[in-house]
């Protein structure tokens, strides 16, 4: 990711500012085209109405100059009629005054007449005038006198050049005004978008200036959209920080914890080589115990790393704790750890659902059972139950458990109680606590419900019969 002058730039895709501005310009161009057509339609309609009024005025002036003389209509052409039509100096005009039966009284014989019956209102129509498109109007003046009764039709026509020029002039003016407004809008949009991009620029500068190992959260200030993005980035960096922390812990723990067992194994092996055959079985027995202890340590360290990794990467899914208990018991690890121990499974016939990761939960319960087998007394019980809005999976043995002053320290990494046996790595309850914290639960330690034995319980929120977390 690198910074461009106009905002973020990723690879060769261009800046975000350029893409937004291109979108704004596209909208303005489309809007400009629509406004141009609308302005042209408005200008043409305005020109038509204006020049239609001129035609009507000229036709009415001519019709008003018709008089009945000796029983026949006589036209005294008014100068005002042609003065109105002369406003369109570049247009050609024509007129015709027709009496009864369509007889031409004056004007041009080739002037077209309106089709159909003409009422009291003017009738407009379009027709060619010497090969050019033209607009015509016909008005009627009716006479009811002693010596003449009938109608006189007056038709006046004009070509459309002045109308079109007026429509284009109105459109041109509207487009010029809209172009100026568009330029102002583009400049305003650029300033507004550039201002809106500043939080992104600031975030990019802060990220570029950060140390590669600095995964502390970024300040989530700025607009809501930027705050959402920063929040998502902070959550990602938090997961990454936990992963890096787990890796560092694993490396440091491995370096710290393996040094002594490896040195002890080497020393025992060297002594076995140097000792006489009489002491060789004893040396080999110690060597086997050391390797078993080292194997247990490695298993638990890898299990803890697996649990932390899955807690951050595996999405929680509905899990029935009874399936977890059955899977752990069917693995038969207890028969290897303590063949003589009696292990009892206590589950009901109803599902006890939680939201979690089945692999992590199985790993936690394996450690609970192994802890009870190593440090407790037989018989050992593995059970699942529900208490209100919580689901529990627990391991209980017949022993008294550690003393109260030791309970507070149990669960830390590499923390061993006084009763721990030599091959314990001290990571079992640490794994259980990590699983509990990952899925919103907790670990409780204490006496059993009847006040006898020692029980360790992994308590998780109950997810309901359908595998969804209850709102209440």
């Amino acid at each position: 990711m690198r910074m461009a002058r106009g905002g973020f730039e990723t690879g060769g895709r261009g800046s975000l500012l350029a893409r937004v501005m291109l979108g704004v310009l596209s909208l303005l161009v489309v809007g400009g085209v629509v406004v141009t057509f609308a302005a042209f339609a408005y200008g043409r309609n305005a020109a038509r109405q204006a020049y239609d009024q001129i035609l009507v005025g000229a036709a009415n002036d001519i019709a008003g100059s018709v008089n009945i003389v000796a029983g026949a209509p006589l036209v005294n052409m008014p100068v005002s009629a042609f003065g109105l039509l002369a406003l369109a100096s570049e247009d050609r005009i024509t007129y015709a005054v027709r009496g009864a039966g369509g007889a031409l009284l004056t004007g041009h014989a080739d002037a077209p007449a309106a089709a159909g019956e003409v009422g009291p209102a003017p009738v407009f129509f379009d027709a060619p005038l010497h090969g050019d498109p033209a607009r015509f109007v016909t008005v009627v003046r009716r006479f009811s006198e002693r010596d003449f009764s009938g109608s006189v039709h007056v038709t006046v026509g004009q070509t459309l050049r002045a109308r079109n020029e007026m429509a284009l002039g109105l459109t041109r003016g509207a487009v010029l005004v809209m172009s100026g407004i568009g330029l102002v809008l583009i400049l305003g949009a650029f300033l507004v978008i550039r201002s809106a991009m500043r939080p992104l620029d600031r975030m990019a500068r802060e990220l570029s200036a950060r140390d590669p190992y600095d995964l502390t959260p970024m300040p989530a200030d700025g607009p809501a959209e930027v705050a959402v993005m920063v929040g998502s980035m902070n959550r990602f960096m938090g997961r990454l920080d936990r992963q890096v922390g787990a890796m560092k812990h694993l490396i440091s723990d491995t370096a710290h914890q393996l040094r002594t067992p490896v040195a002890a194994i080497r020393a025992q092996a060297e002594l076995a080589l140097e000792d006489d055959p009489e002491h060789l079985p004893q040396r080999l027995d110690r060597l086997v115990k050391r390797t078993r202890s080292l194997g247990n340590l490695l298993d638990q360290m890898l299990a803890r790393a697996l649990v932390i990794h899955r807690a951050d990467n595996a999405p929680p899914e509905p899990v029935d704790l009874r399936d977890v208990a059955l899977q752990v018991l069917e693995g038969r690890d207890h028969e290897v750890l303590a063949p003589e121990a009696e292990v009892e499974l206590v589950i009901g016939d109803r599902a006890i659902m939680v939201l979690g990761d089945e692999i992590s939960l199985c790993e936690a319960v394996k450690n609970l059972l192994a802890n009870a087998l190593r440090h407790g007394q037989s018989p050992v019980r593995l059970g699942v139950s529900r208490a209100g809005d919580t689901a529990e999976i627990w391991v209980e043995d017949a022993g008294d458990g550690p003393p109260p002053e030791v309970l507070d320290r149990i669960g830390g990494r590499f923390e061993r109680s006084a009763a721990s046996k030599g091959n314990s790595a001290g990571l079992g309850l640490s794994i259980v606590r990590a699983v509990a914290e990952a899925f919103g639960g907790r670990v409780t330690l204490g006496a059993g419900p009847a006040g006898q034995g020692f029980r360790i319980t992994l308590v998780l929120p109950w997810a309901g019969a359908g595998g969804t977390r209850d709102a209440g």
Side-chain angles (χ1 to χ4, degrees):
M1 183 183 292
R2 67 178 189 272
M3 281 293 299
R5 294 188 63 183
F8 273 5
E9 184 177 2
T10 56
R13 300 184 181 180
S15 68
L16 180 60
L17 177 61
R19 296 175 67 181
V20 175
M21 286 301 301
L22 181 61
V24 172
L25 287 175
S26 301
L27 291 176
L28 288 177
V29 168
V30 173
V33 171
V34 173
V35 168
T36 300
F37 280 107
F40 179 73
Y42 170 79
R44 185 174 59 179
N45 185 59
R48 169 170 286 192
Q49 290 181 0
Y51 280 94
D52 281 354
Q53 293 300 320
I54 292 176
L55 285 177
V56 170
N60 285 331
D61 282 350
I62 295 174
S65 67
V66 177
N67 295 308
I68 304 300
V69 178
L74 179 66
V75 182
N76 184 15
M77 290 299 296
V79 178
S80 61
F82 294 99
L84 289 174
L85 296 174
L87 293 175
S89 58
E90 296 184 0
D91 277 319
R92 294 196 301 273
I93 62 174
T94 187
Y95 73 97
V97 181
R98 294 181 174 88
L104 181 66
L105 300 179
T106 185
H108 304 104
D110 58 353
E117 186 69 22
V118 180
V123 176
F124 293 93
F125 60 94
D126 296 320
L129 176 59
H130 301 299
D132 293 331
R135 180 78 165 168
F136 294 87
V137 66
T138 297
V139 298
V140 177
R141 185 176 179 187
R142 303 184 188 279
F143 292 92
S144 297
E145 298 184 8
R146 181 179 303 172
D147 51 356
F148 181 82
S149 178
S151 300
V152 175
H153 291 72
V154 179
T155 299
V156 179
Q158 184 182 40
T159 55
L160 305 180
R161 183 175 300 177
R163 295 169 180 259
N164 293 337
E165 289 182 356
M166 181 179 178
L168 290 175
L170 291 175
T171 303
R172 191 180 302 112
V175 169
L176 289 175
V177 172
M178 291 303 300
S179 298
I181 295 174
L183 292 175
V184 174
L185 289 177
I186 291 173
L187 179 60
F190 175 81
L191 296 176
V192 171
I193 295 171
R194 189 71 187 88
S195 175
M197 295 292 179
R198 283 175 185 160
L200 298 177
D201 296 340
R202 184 175 65 253
M203 184 171 66
R205 288 194 299 270
E206 291 178 0
L207 285 174
S208 300
R210 275 195 171 204
D211 185 273
Y213 299 100
D214 184 5
L215 297 175
T216 56
M218 297 183 63
D221 52 359
E225 294 79 5
V226 175
V228 170
M229 183 171 63
V230 172
S232 300
M233 187 178 299
N234 286 339
R235 287 191 293 273
F236 169 76
M237 289 195 299
R239 292 196 301 269
L240 184 60
D241 188 36
R242 288 192 295 272
Q243 293 291 330
V244 172
M247 181 181 66
K248 290 179 178 178
H249 282 311
L250 179 62
I251 293 173
S252 63
D253 292 345
T254 302
H256 177 266
Q257 293 295 321
L258 294 186
R259 186 179 294 112
T260 300
V262 170
I265 290 173
R266 184 173 60 248
Q268 293 290 343
E270 290 174 352
L271 289 174
L273 290 175
E274 295 175 358
D275 274 351
D276 55 84
E278 188 177 328
H279 294 88
L280 184 58
Q282 182 180 3
R283 295 296 183 190
L284 291 178
D285 181 61
R286 293 179 180 178
L287 188 61
V288 169
K289 290 181 179 179
R290 287 290 185 179
T291 55
R292 287 177 179 171
S293 176
L294 180 60
N296 291 333
L297 173 62
L298 289 175
D299 288 343
Q300 289 196 329
M301 290 178 67
L302 292 175
R304 189 173 191 277
L306 172 68
V307 165
I308 294 176
H309 171 76
R310 293 190 64 85
D312 279 335
N313 293 277
E317 296 179 349
V319 178
D320 188 350
L321 290 182
R322 300 180 307 162
D323 294 337
V324 174
L326 284 170
Q327 185 173 340
V328 170
L329 201 62
E330 290 173 355
R332 299 187 179 277
D333 291 345
H334 59 282
E335 295 181 359
V336 177
L337 292 173
E340 73 286 353
E342 178 185 350
V343 179
E344 178 185 356
L345 182 64
V346 183
I347 59 175
D349 56 353
R350 299 183 64 182
I352 306 295
M353 304 299 297
V354 297
L355 291 179
D357 174 59
E358 186 171 353
I359 295 177
S360 299
L361 290 171
C362 287
E363 199 63 41
V365 177
K366 285 180 183 178
N367 280 274
L368 285 178
L369 184 59
N371 184 75
L373 293 173
R374 286 195 182 102
H375 311 309
Q377 297 179 12
S378 182
V380 175
R381 303 169 70 209
L382 170 60
V384 175
S385 58
R386 177 188 164 197
D389 291 335
T390 61
E392 301 176 346
I393 184 165
W394 45 267
V395 175
E396 179 181 318
D397 67 86
D400 296 331
E405 63 271 12
V406 178
L407 285 178
D408 295 335
R409 294 187 287 109
I410 290 182
R413 287 179 19 252
F414 306 107
E415 182 65 43
R416 298 182 179 91
S417 68
S420 298
K421 299 177 184 178
N423 61 353
S424 173
L427 281 172
L429 288 182
S430 174
I431 294 173
V432 179
R433 289 191 188 277
V435 173
E437 292 172 359
F439 303 118
R442 66 185 189 277
V443 178
T444 62
L445 302 89
Q452 296 179 350
F454 181 72
R455 175 181 289 192
I456 302 180
T457 306
L458 174 58
V459 183
L460 297 169
W462 180 57
T468 56
R469 187 72 52 82
D470 281 4

